[in-house]
Amino acid sequence: MADQKGALLGLQRTNLREQAVAALRTAITSGELRPRSALVETELSERLGISRGTLREALRQLQQEGLVVSGPRGRLSVRSLDQKEIRDIFAVRAALEELAAVQLAARSDRGLVAEELRETLSRMASAGADNLDERIEADLDFHRTMCRLTGNETLVHSWTSLEGSIRMSIMYAGTDRALGNMDTDRHMAVVDAIDSGDTAAARQTVADHMNWAADNLVR
């Protein structure tokens, strides 16, 4: 907590809660705040330049996102993911994205859907391999877009609730494993399956994609 560099710097005096949430989320998923790190209100509120009340509101939201957990006597700390938790996250994620792929493959305009997904993949491919943050965001944007294109708001909301945990699991795996999860050919296979209109193939391709990704992160 002594290091004053990184995401946890003073904030502008507008939308402080939202800014605090964003700054803390970045600090956690980037590793600036390490797993199991205690979140001390006095230190964090001073570093962020906000009141402890505003900080508590931000921390409550991060608890809902699964990035912060409450321990003995209500003390908050950064969540630490073990192998079982990562596999559980990816199992739920797979169920959601399999549903998205099936719905998209069944659409008459799936060609347009595939075109938009391929455009999203092109941004992933152009993201520099030396910029892990950029690659992760491009990867998440692909999967988020796949869910959004279904038009199923409940599906999107459910997937978004996992986003922080997904980001954490990728970041903490290390650069080599993280980059392995962002292989464009593996993602393109999902798009091609959707474009084919074969709903069974679309479901299986997403299942295989997620199984491989989970295995890669925990091996």
Side-chain angles (χ1 to χ4, degrees):
M1 298 292 293
D3 184 6
Q4 298 298 304
K5 298 179 180 180
L8 301 182
L9 301 174
L11 304 177
Q12 298 296 316
R13 298 291 178 179
T14 58
N15 300 317
L16 287 181
R17 186 188 68 81
E18 290 83 357
Q19 291 185 65
V21 168
L24 288 164
R25 187 189 294 121
T26 298
I28 291 170
T29 57
S30 69
E32 183 182 346
L33 291 176
R34 301 298 302 166
R36 301 187 181 88
S37 295
L39 299 172
V40 182
E41 287 185 4
T42 52
E43 294 181 13
L44 290 174
S45 60
E46 181 178 348
R47 290 174 65 179
L48 291 166
I50 58 176
S51 70
R52 292 174 68 177
T54 300
L55 176 65
R56 289 190 192 107
E57 292 177 5
L59 290 174
R60 276 196 293 270
Q61 179 168 332
L62 293 174
Q63 278 186 275
Q64 294 174 353
E65 293 181 11
L67 300 181
V68 170
V69 292
S70 178
R73 300 181 181 177
R75 293 173 181 168
L76 299 179
S77 62
V78 177
R79 182 182 179 189
S80 176
L81 296 174
D82 60 26
Q83 291 189 3
K84 180 183 182 302
E85 287 175 306
I86 291 174
R87 289 195 181 279
D88 288 347
I89 290 165
F90 273 76
V92 175
R93 180 186 180 188
L96 294 172
E97 295 194 30
E98 285 172 35
L99 174 59
V102 167
Q103 291 188 358
L104 294 176
R107 283 172 50 163
S108 60
D109 64 344
R110 59 183 174 273
L112 295 176
V113 167
E115 184 178 342
E116 183 167 349
L117 289 172
R118 289 189 179 104
E119 175 60 29
T120 305
L121 274 184
S122 71
R123 295 195 291 273
M124 185 194 302
S126 64
D130 58 342
N131 190 330
L132 184 58
D133 286 344
E134 185 178 356
R135 296 276 296 189
I136 289 175
E137 294 312 313
D139 174 61
L140 290 173
D141 185 50
F142 170 83
H143 294 280
R144 188 188 305 111
T145 299
M146 191 169 74
C147 293
R148 176 180 57 79
L149 288 172
T150 66
N152 186 329
E153 293 300 326
T154 301
L155 172 59
V156 174
H157 176 75
S158 298
W159 187 93
T160 303
S161 70
L162 292 174
E163 188 170 348
S165 297
I166 295 168
R167 189 182 282 106
M168 285 178 69
S169 66
I170 295 171
M171 282 295 240
Y172 293 160
T175 301
D176 290 341
R177 292 182 187 179
L179 290 175
N181 273 32
M182 297 163 211
D183 178 74
T184 53
D185 289 342
R186 291 180 53 253
H187 287 76
M188 190 62 75
V190 173
V191 180
D192 290 342
I194 291 171
D195 199 12
S196 74
D198 185 334
T199 56
R203 182 191 297 277
Q204 188 60 52
T205 303
V206 171
D208 293 343
H209 181 99
M210 291 301 163
N211 286 334
W212 188 96
D215 287 343
N216 176 57
L217 293 177
V218 303
R219 71 166 181 255

